[in-house]
Amino acid sequence: MRIYLVVVDDSPEAEIALRFAARRAVKTGGGVEILTLIPPQEFIAFGGVQATIEEEAFLHAEGLVAAAAGTLIAESGLKPAITVRQGDGPKIIREIIAANPDIAALVLGAAPGGAPGTLVSHFAGTDAGALPVPMMIIPGSLTREAIDRLS
């Protein structure tokens, strides 16, 4: 089965990327995997404080993917695979793609203005051409109607 790997965060462009991936998956008989990345936490000498910060970050990430999955199910009927990982984003994405031969594309949303996000910058810059699957960068300026028309 063709799976679209979508990285989701708090940004509006992530929602647009998810919508695009879901519509492509429906049209191609595929699926969607939602990935939320938790950035590595700075080390804090007090273990209890460190654990609390990490737990809050994980709970926030779980909330993001739950909301994204709910939207995806409601709009497309697809039940996504969900992954929440902490660490270096590009490394985690490469590991997930390497571990699952069904992943057909990496789908990232780009902000409608300003500098691109770190993942778009990384995979379209220093790592351009190194992924074993195509990368789709979905412009954050697209409307829902435009996404529906293009996907």
Side-chain angles (χ1 to χ4, degrees):
M1 175 194 314
R2 173 181 295 220
I3 296 174
Y4 294 89
L5 176 63
V6 183
V7 181
V8 174
D9 59 16
D10 286 327
S11 68
E13 57 267 19
E15 182 181 327
I16 290 169
L18 181 61
R19 182 174 182 85
F20 182 88
R23 295 194 45 88
R24 289 298 313 144
V26 167
K27 288 185 179 181
T28 61
V32 173
E33 181 169 349
I34 299 172
L35 170 63
T36 295
L37 298 166
I38 302 171
Q41 302 298 315
E42 291 184 30
F43 177 73
I44 298 174
F46 301 102
V49 173
Q50 180 79 31
T52 300
I53 292 171
E54 289 177 358
E55 182 179 354
E56 287 175 358
F58 189 78
L59 291 173
H60 178 73
E62 283 184 326
L64 279 174
V65 294
T71 299
L72 184 69
I73 292 168
E75 291 186 3
S76 68
L78 291 174
K79 185 174 180 191
I82 295 174
T83 304
V84 177
R85 299 268 301 270
Q86 181 175 14
D88 177 56
K91 180 180 178 195
I92 290 169
I93 289 169
R94 279 191 227 95
E95 288 171 358
I96 289 171
I97 291 171
N100 187 347
D102 290 335
I103 293 178
L106 170 63
V107 182
L108 300 173
T118 56
L119 293 176
V120 172
S121 294
H122 179 83
F123 287 114
T126 57
D127 238 8
L131 284 174
V133 298
M135 177 181 60
M136 299 175 174
I137 301 174
I138 312 305
S141 61
L142 292 178
T143 63
R144 292 171 68 87
E145 294 77 22
I147 292 168
D148 294 350
R149 188 180 70 251
L150 294 169
S151 61

